Amino acid sequence: MELIKYPRYVDESKCIACNACAEKCPKKVPSEYDTGLAKRKAIYVPYAQAVPLKYCVDPETCIYILKKRCGACVKKCPTGAVDLEQQEETVALNVGSVILTAGFQPFDPSQFDSYGYAKHPNVVTSMEMERILSASGPTGGHLVRPSDDKEPQKIAWFQCVGSRDLNRCDNSYCSSVCCMYAIKEAVVAKEHAGDGLDCAIFYMDMRTHGKDFERFYDNAREKQGVRFISSRVHTIDPVPNSDDLELRYVDENGDIQKEVFDMVVLSIGLETSAQQRALAKKLGIKLSDNHFCQTATFDPVATSRKGIYVSGAFQGPKDIPQSVIDASAAASAAGEILADARGSQTKAKEIVPETDIIGQRPRIGVFVCKCGINIAGVVDVPAVADYAKTLPYVEYATDNLYSCSQDTQDNMVEIIKKEKLNRIVVAACTPKTHEPLFQESMINAGLNKYLFEMANIRNQDSWVHKNNPELATQKAMDLVRMAVSKVALKEALKESELKINQTAMVVGGGVAGMAAAQSLAQQGYETHIIEKSDHLGGQALNIYKTTSGEDVRSKVKDLIKAIDQDKRVHTHLNTTIAAVDGFVGNFKSTLANADGEYSLEHGVVVMATGGSAFEPDEYEYGNDPRIVTSLQLDKMMMAKDPSLASLQSAVFIQCVGSREPQRPYCSRVCCTHSVHNALELKKLNPDMPIYILHRDVRTYGERELLYKEAREAGVIFIRYELDNKPQVAIKNGAITVNVIDHILGRPLELETDLLTLASAVLPNKANDLAQFFKVPINDDGFFVERHAKLGPVEFATDGVFLCGIAHYPKPLDESIAQGKAAASRAVTLLARKTLHTSGEVAETNPMWCSSCGVCVSICPYSAPTFTEEGPFTGKAQINPVLCKGCGLCVASCRSGAIHLKGFDNDQIFAQIFSLDEAVR
Amino acid sequence: MSDWEPKIVSFLCNWCSYGAADLAGVGRMEYPPNIRVIRIPCAGRMSAKFFLAALRQGADGVWVSG
Amino acid sequence: MSKDVIGSVMVVGGGIAGMQSALDLADSGYYVYLVEKGPSIGGVMAQLDKTFPTNDCAM
């Protein structure tokens, strides 16, 4: 692989992000980060939290680079980091695999004349709206419209701008994410502006098919008063003598409406940029007709080229959780082919033996950082260092220009050794970013890393009190004094080490579970699949074809065969879990089958418990063999049932059991399934009239093309409302379906000889497992992951992962990707081989414990338990592996029996008591 | 009266408010210098005894955020 | 498996997907080159205000 490394014009190892360069830079340009709504300089950091937090120069606007004049930044930089002569470099890399996560570009709506995006400042894109609503945005989170900074009273969102549209752009697919983000923006806008704000969303189909999305939609509509209008607005006209905008649209009754809004937000779609397409071409990777990376259902992250994997929106328009799932799946896929070379390119660290300081009088070293002028420009740093020398136990104090630079760190190691220091205070920036760096130096000096404290005299002092140097200096002294008094009481803490059992257990042998097991095995881990039925395959065996036409059964059988042949996968059929003991790295599960019980030790567990189809309780289901569920129709198709070809007509009813008050979630897969089955029926008999009765057609992503194909094939889509559901009757041997046609507003009677009910996807009951592994289940019966966006395949409980329908209804490709993703997350744990617990954990003193159980019930991580044997039976003990050091138990212990190492009572009191002059 | 400035002791959660206070600095916001921050691992660590001790030391206000 | 596999991976793109892939691989014992054309990682998600359903700050 050959890469071009573009010059940054700033040496990252020297830049301290002090902003001196940007302050002096005379060139102002629109900020990309704030979508052009705010300005940045030609030398800049993209945003305050940017990683790396290092400045860079924009060569397209820098006056020096363009005209060889200026260079103010070079002169102003206190560390000499700016180098405007930097050149492009070519870097050659040898790698075993490549993962493409090139992303997407937001659609540019300026090509649409009718929306006047380029002409009217108050027509903004959804990306611009994100910035307007953001507290770190150009308006500081104050919701005002761009033209006159007026607070808007009425805002309209237009859905499907640059999506589902072949007339004005080439994007016929659905962008998947816009419906949800529009609702979110409307709700957040109302939070900012109050209930008086009128938010209206103009849509074609509301697609809230993700986990908990439907609830959010219901809440926005019913509780927050967001208006949802099913209409595509054709024109926006400016209202003369104002910045307002008049919309004309056809409402659901077919009447033309005019309405004036203060602002219009265009919900722009996702597309692949020309640059991203060129990258694919360069790598020799096939793209779909819509320019997304081509993948297969049973290999959802593999590109057309071996060893190159894909994830994120470059594979297809998708939201954050799906991108994160695919990303882990791609990591797993790369890990599967590189397993033999694991660890071959990484380096192990050298360990310096630790000095024993027990019994020693504290000898504290204080290092006060100038951070160039960042601190020293406001705070009198030498005075603070001198003051530090006067404090008890301080043996050494000095100031440094840049404490974090490598030479200062090396010097610090020497000083610690020479002065025999046994506790260190660094007064500098923030422990959030720099504590690990200084602790590393302590380790290199043979000192326990917990004998350390930082005083935050930059982020929380010099930077926020720059007009008050005297008081800022006083504050710095106070903070140093408090830190010194705390560090004197600190102890060397042990991080206990724990072996991780290198075996994995997967609960559930459906495609998600099998995908997880296969991936774990290929990455070198013994894996056990626990399946309660007598065969592997799960629900996938009931599905006829994938949307791209692959035969599901044969693909699933291939997968089962691969599992059976893999010696590292052990399948336990007809087996359930009876009990679970232990915790991350050391689980011991009791398995039960017809022959009795036996135990399995494993380090991690993947929950792939799956789901099943809801059995309809309406629409005359069960009263006529011609009324079937989607899966029953699949079964007829698999059996090549001859009656299908001779059907006179077919009707599908969507949302049977889904999006109802008692089950308020969208089952995600049914719209695509019915549309696909309708097309299969059309293949058998193109003249067969087919009706799909739906509430919104949710063929998200590139599945939209199937919907388009179905409409072109003559499938008729009729929308119904929840309060006006279709009526099914069996009269004289005929099935009739009555529905109100939403366009004509008239009742319609359909006679059919096949009625398919798209029934909801239900999670399998897993309450026992949830209790065994201490993981939560939501109101709908699905498992609750660690984080909806950033932790979609793992639980808050360490060592427990999830995938497939146990998480939420999803199609095969997404289940398989999530199975692989769960494997990837599990491997990151297994690969460590040992667990190091943090030293800053809680510990009980059993002599003081009154066995009241408050800590046991209050801990969110189940770390405290009652001791079961020995002299302290019945007293609480805390497992350091599970403890996250939050201190909740310490604060709630009525006996004062729990200590939180590193944040113990005496240490916090020491800080409070040394406030002294600071509060007098 | 108008010259009186309260002395405030704040206990900030390491994972949210303490980070937010850092970001206030990154954004070069300004606020009066009569506040002293004590970092705690979680607002759940906060004990009534800390409030009382801070007030007894002379603090005019105690602010816990997490 | 072939004898000369290289235990390193290049991840192209530093958005949320790229970062997650890179972290997983690095934590699994592979050397990762995370390649990003812009000056910082974070991608489009860093520009978002909040994320549903919890309305957590996207940053």
Side-chain angles (χ1 to χ4, degrees):
Chain A
M1 286 286 166
E2 222 170 63
L3 309 176
I4 297 170
K5 187 174 180 206
Y6 296 113
R8 185 181 194 101
Y9 304 105
V10 174
D11 183 340
E12 289 171 46
S13 62
K14 290 184 186 160
C15 173
I16 51 153
C18 68
N19 198 42
C21 52
E23 235 165 62
K24 281 289 163 226
C25 177
K27 184 75 188 174
K28 272 190 179 175
V29 290
S31 153
E32 295 85 354
Y33 179 68
D34 275 326
T35 58
L37 295 170
K39 299 272 193 221
R40 62 161 171 85
K41 297 293 185 71
I43 184 162
Y44 68 108
V45 273
Y47 48 96
Q49 301 91 335
V51 176
L53 192 60
K54 305 286 176 189
Y55 279 68
C56 67
V57 177
D58 172 8
E60 277 159 31
T61 52
C62 170
I63 301 170
Y64 183 86
I65 294 171
L66 293 176
K67 302 180 192 156
K68 296 281 164 212
R69 286 206 303 265
C70 184
C73 50
V74 181
K75 284 170 229 146
K76 275 289 156 189
C77 179
T79 61
V82 184
D83 172 11
L84 297 175
E85 306 296 338
Q86 253 182 24
Q87 296 298 319
E88 223 171 78
E89 285 171 56
T90 306
V91 183
L93 296 178
N94 282 321
V95 293
S97 176
V98 176
I99 295 178
L100 288 177
T101 55
F104 65 92
Q105 78 174 359
F107 180 78
D108 176 7
S110 43
Q111 50 188 292
F112 287 3
D113 284 348
S114 55
Y115 289 161
Y117 171 66
K119 271 187 294 190
H120 310 310
N122 294 333
V123 178
V124 301
T125 66
S126 43
M127 279 308 288
E128 288 167 331
M129 192 61 179
E130 290 287 336
R131 298 313 304 149
I132 292 171
L133 292 171
S134 171
S136 70
T139 57
H142 188 56
L143 175 55
V144 291
R145 65 181 193 179
S147 76
D148 52 6
D149 285 351
K150 191 186 118 181
E151 290 180 9
Q153 307 295 310
K154 281 171 73 104
I155 308 179
W157 276 259
F158 291 3
Q159 297 311 103
C160 302
V161 177
S163 310
R164 303 180 67 187
D165 188 353
L166 274 180
N167 296 329
R168 291 176 297 181
C169 67
D170 287 334
N171 301 342
S172 54
Y173 54 86
C174 158
S175 290
S176 300
V177 300
C178 326
C179 283
M180 254 331 268
Y181 76 56
I183 302 175
K184 175 203 70 177
E185 287 183 356
V187 169
V188 173
K190 274 178 163 287
E191 267 173 24
H192 281 246
D195 284 338
L197 180 70
D198 176 23
C199 295
I201 298 181
F202 292 85
Y203 70 97
M204 299 206 286
D205 293 280
M206 280 315 289
R207 293 189 170 168
T208 47
H209 49 269
K211 190 172 186 175
D212 286 331
F213 289 10
E214 188 74 14
R215 273 196 175 80
F216 198 83
Y217 172 34
D218 289 343
N219 186 54
R221 196 180 57 238
E222 281 151 25
K223 299 220 175 85
Q224 317 263 354
V226 176
R227 287 192 290 147
F228 290 86
I229 301 161
S230 170
S231 176
R232 197 146 187 164
V233 180
H234 43 84
T235 37
I236 301 180
D237 292 316
V239 177
N241 303 321
S242 84
D243 294 335
D244 301 345
L245 302 155
E246 185 186 82
L247 316 187
R248 261 181 302 160
Y249 63 93
V250 179
D251 71 9
E252 274 161 282
N253 301 322
D255 300 327
I256 292 182
Q257 297 285 344
K258 284 184 187 177
E259 201 176 332
V260 175
F261 285 88
D262 296 301
M263 252 178 107
V264 169
V265 182
L266 304 179
S267 295
I268 50 174
L270 280 50
E271 65 181 10
T272 307
S273 70
Q275 211 179 2
Q276 288 153 349
R277 279 183 241 172
L279 174 69
K281 201 171 170 196
K282 213 177 284 169
L283 293 171
I285 285 178
K286 281 200 195 118
L287 299 184
S288 72
D289 293 344
N290 305 296
H291 311 300
F292 293 106
C293 195
Q294 213 175 67
T295 53
T297 305
F298 282 82
D299 215 348
V301 291
T303 68
S304 58
R305 187 164 166 190
K306 217 177 159 214
I308 302 188
Y309 302 96
V310 63
S311 63
F314 189 46
Q315 190 269 334
K318 61 184 59 162
D319 61 3
I320 296 166
Q322 197 57 43
S323 294
V324 171
I325 290 170
D326 286 0
S328 285
S332 234
E336 287 163 26
I337 58 165
L338 302 180
D340 289 352
R342 180 206 303 281
S344 64
Q345 304 258 317
T346 49
K347 281 185 239 159
K349 266 195 255 159
E350 213 179 300
I351 300 163
V352 180
E354 197 176 296
T355 322
D356 184 7
I357 60 135
I358 290 176
Q360 283 183 14
R361 185 180 188 277
R363 291 180 63 85
I364 301 172
V366 181
F367 298 84
V368 189
C369 185
K370 290 183 172 167
C371 196
I373 57 163
N374 275 293
I375 296 172
V378 178
V379 170
D380 184 350
V381 171
V384 175
D386 285 342
Y387 170 73
K389 285 178 194 154
T390 68
L391 294 169
Y393 303 114
V394 173
E395 301 294 332
Y396 182 89
T398 186
D399 54 63
N400 302 119
L401 186 58
Y402 293 109
S403 298
C404 57
S405 68
Q406 194 52 52
D407 53 326
T408 312
Q409 287 298 291
D410 295 341
N411 199 19
M412 198 184 281
V413 171
E414 290 316 307
I415 292 168
I416 292 173
K417 286 182 185 162
K418 188 168 147 246
E419 302 286 334
K420 296 195 167 45
L421 301 176
N422 56 21
R423 281 169 182 76
I424 300 299
V425 169
V426 174
C429 44
T430 164
K432 297 281 288 178
T433 54
H434 281 67
E435 190 172 59
L437 178 84
F438 297 128
Q439 286 184 325
E440 179 112 13
S441 293
M442 293 179 62
I443 294 169
N444 290 338
L447 215 50
N448 184 286
K449 72 174 191 183
Y450 293 102
L451 297 164
F452 177 74
E453 191 65 26
M454 269 185 91
N456 190 327
I457 62 166
R458 187 182 76 173
N459 295 45
Q460 298 183 12
D461 190 9
S462 69
W463 274 356
V464 288
H465 308 313
K466 61 172 177 284
N467 294 318
N468 220 332
E470 215 165 286
L471 289 175
T473 302
Q474 189 52 54
K475 181 171 175 179
M477 289 178 179
D478 292 341
L479 292 174
V480 168
R481 182 175 67 245
M482 289 160 71
V484 165
S485 67
K486 180 177 180 188
V487 84
L489 295 171
K490 281 210 159 180
E491 295 167 348
L493 300 182
K494 282 264 173 306
E495 297 184 341
S496 40
E497 197 183 83
L498 194 85
K499 277 214 169 67
I500 297 176
N501 185 310
Q502 298 286 293
T503 305
M505 180 170 93
V506 177
V507 188
V511 283
M514 285 194 289
Q518 188 181 36
S519 187
L520 281 160
Q522 287 183 1
Q523 294 184 71
Y525 298 98
E526 294 289 321
T527 304
H528 295 259
I529 300 180
I530 315 302
E531 168 58 45
K532 67 172 187 288
S533 79
D534 62 356
H535 61 273
L536 293 174
Q539 288 296 335
L541 291 171
N542 301 324
I543 299 172
Y544 177 41
K545 276 184 185 172
T546 66
T547 49
S548 46
E550 300 145 291
D551 182 75
V552 175
R553 249 174 183 264
S554 72
K555 288 275 185 188
V556 174
K557 286 192 170 151
D558 289 348
L559 184 55
I560 296 173
K561 206 168 144 195
I563 293 276
D564 285 343
Q565 284 172 352
D566 195 322
K567 287 196 173 59
R568 289 161 300 196
V569 185
H570 311 274
T571 306
H572 306 245
L573 297 175
N574 298 311
T575 305
T576 54
I577 294 167
V580 176
D581 236 353
F583 44 84
V584 55
N586 293 279
F587 289 108
K588 191 171 174 187
S589 296
T590 307
L591 308 180
N593 61 16
D595 301 330
E597 292 189 346
Y598 57 105
S599 74
L600 174 68
E601 292 186 5
H602 53 104
V604 295
V605 60
V606 178
M607 303 289 212
T609 47
S612 59
F614 169 64
E615 192 173 303
D617 49 7
E618 54 185 338
Y619 301 126
E620 300 287 340
Y621 179 75
N623 297 335
D624 191 303
R626 294 166 297 172
I627 302 178
V628 297
T629 63
S630 302
L631 288 182
Q632 286 165 339
L633 176 58
D634 275 30
K635 205 169 178 184
M636 291 163 79
M637 289 188 177
M638 278 191 262
K640 304 220 181 315
D641 191 322
S643 70
L644 291 175
S646 55
L647 290 174
Q648 295 304 305
S649 80
V651 174
F652 291 81
I653 299 179
Q654 298 305 111
C655 298
V656 179
S658 304
R659 301 179 65 193
E660 299 260 4
Q662 73 275 19
R663 206 171 292 104
Y665 63 86
C666 164
S667 293
R668 193 173 174 105
V669 297
C670 347
C671 281
T672 310
H673 197 174
S674 292
V675 169
H676 185 238
N677 278 347
L679 279 167
E680 291 290 326
L681 289 175
K682 277 278 181 193
K683 266 190 220 160
L684 294 174
N685 176 5
D687 297 327
M688 183 196 308
I690 299 180
Y691 304 89
I692 296 185
L693 315 184
H694 65 92
R695 289 171 57 196
D696 291 283
V697 179
R698 294 184 166 174
T699 44
Y700 59 97
E702 291 186 277
R703 293 162 184 84
E704 177 69 12
L705 276 73
L706 276 182
Y707 178 27
K708 185 167 159 276
E709 194 185 328
R711 288 192 318 261
E712 285 163 1
V715 177
I716 295 164
F717 289 83
I718 300 171
R719 188 204 295 270
Y720 72 88
E721 298 288 332
L722 181 60
D723 51 13
N724 215 343
K725 284 164 84 170
Q727 301 295 319
V728 177
I730 307 168
K731 272 186 269 176
N732 310 324
I735 303 170
T736 56
V737 183
N738 278 285
V739 64
I740 309 280
D741 185 300
H742 65 301
I743 298 173
L744 304 171
R746 273 202 303 238
L748 204 67
E749 185 170 282
L750 308 168
E751 201 180 300
T752 182
D753 38 14
L754 180 71
L755 174 61
T756 306
L757 305 178
S759 64
V761 177
L762 307 183
N764 285 336
K765 282 212 165 45
N767 296 15
D768 285 359
L769 283 169
Q771 248 175 22
F772 292 155
F773 290 103
K774 303 178 182 84
V775 293
I777 287 183
N778 71 13
D779 292 345
D780 303 324
F782 296 104
F783 282 120
V784 180
E785 63 275 33
R786 178 176 66 79
H787 189 281
K789 294 278 176 282
L790 303 176
V793 298
E794 59 214 59
F795 288 101
T797 309
D798 286 337
V800 190
F801 306 87
L802 76 162
C803 59
I805 290 174
H807 163 258
Y808 193 69
K810 52 175 65 78
L812 285 167
D813 50 348
E814 293 174 9
S815 275
I816 292 167
Q818 201 176 12
K820 278 179 167 310
S824 176
R825 299 301 301 149
V827 168
T828 62
L829 197 70
L830 294 170
R832 283 197 243 161
K833 294 203 172 71
T834 53
L835 273 177
H836 283 265
T837 62
S838 162
E840 291 179 338
V841 290
E843 190 177 59
T844 54
N845 178 348
M847 302 292 280
W848 289 10
C849 174
S850 63
S851 306
C852 69
V854 167
C855 56
V856 177
S857 60
I858 206 171
C859 177
Y861 310 102
S862 313
T865 49
F866 292 114
T867 310
E868 280 174 5
E869 52 194 342
F872 298 116
T873 303
K875 306 287 186 185
Q877 59 179 358
I878 291 170
N879 185 335
V881 183
L882 299 178
C883 178
K884 307 266 185 208
C886 72
L888 199 54
C889 57
V890 186
S892 54
C893 178
R894 55 197 73 173
S895 315
I898 312 180
H899 296 278
L900 182 59
K901 299 178 202 166
F903 287 97
D904 210 350
N905 280 345
D906 60 341
Q907 295 163 351
I908 295 178
F909 278 130
Q911 282 176 291
I912 297 172
F913 294 148
S914 57
L915 281 163
D916 296 337
E917 303 88 67
V919 291
R920 294 217 177 114
Chain B
M1 181 68 197
S2 59
D3 290 344
W4 184 75
E5 288 278 342
K7 306 270 177 48
I8 295 172
V9 177
S10 65
F11 293 86
L12 303 186
C13 162
N14 179 51
W15 304 107
C16 56
S17 306
Y18 191 88
D22 283 344
L23 277 182
V26 174
R28 304 299 198 276
M29 295 175 185
E30 277 192 73
Y31 53 82
N34 44 1
I35 181 168
R36 298 292 176 270
V37 173
I38 293 176
R39 182 167 72 124
I40 51 176
C42 167
R45 174 71 186 92
M46 198 55 201
S47 152
K49 289 182 281 189
F50 299 154
F51 279 99
L52 297 174
L55 294 173
R56 224 178 292 129
Q57 282 293 300
D60 298 304
V62 176
W63 170 40
V64 184
S65 180
Chain C
M1 194 81 349
S2 76
K3 47 204 176 319
D4 296 322
V5 269
I6 302 169
S8 61
V9 181
M10 177 166 87
V11 177
V12 185
I16 181 67
M19 293 191 292
Q20 183 68 50
S21 291
L23 282 173
D24 275 17
L25 285 164
D27 286 343
S28 302
Y30 301 100
Y31 196 94
V32 182
Y33 302 92
L34 179 59
V35 183
E36 162 62 47
K37 68 176 187 303
S40 65
I41 56 173
V44 177
M45 187 175 170
Q47 276 178 285
L48 303 183
D49 170 33
K50 295 190 172 78
T51 61
F52 50 78
T54 49
N55 277 357
D56 281 350
C57 168
M59 187 58 74

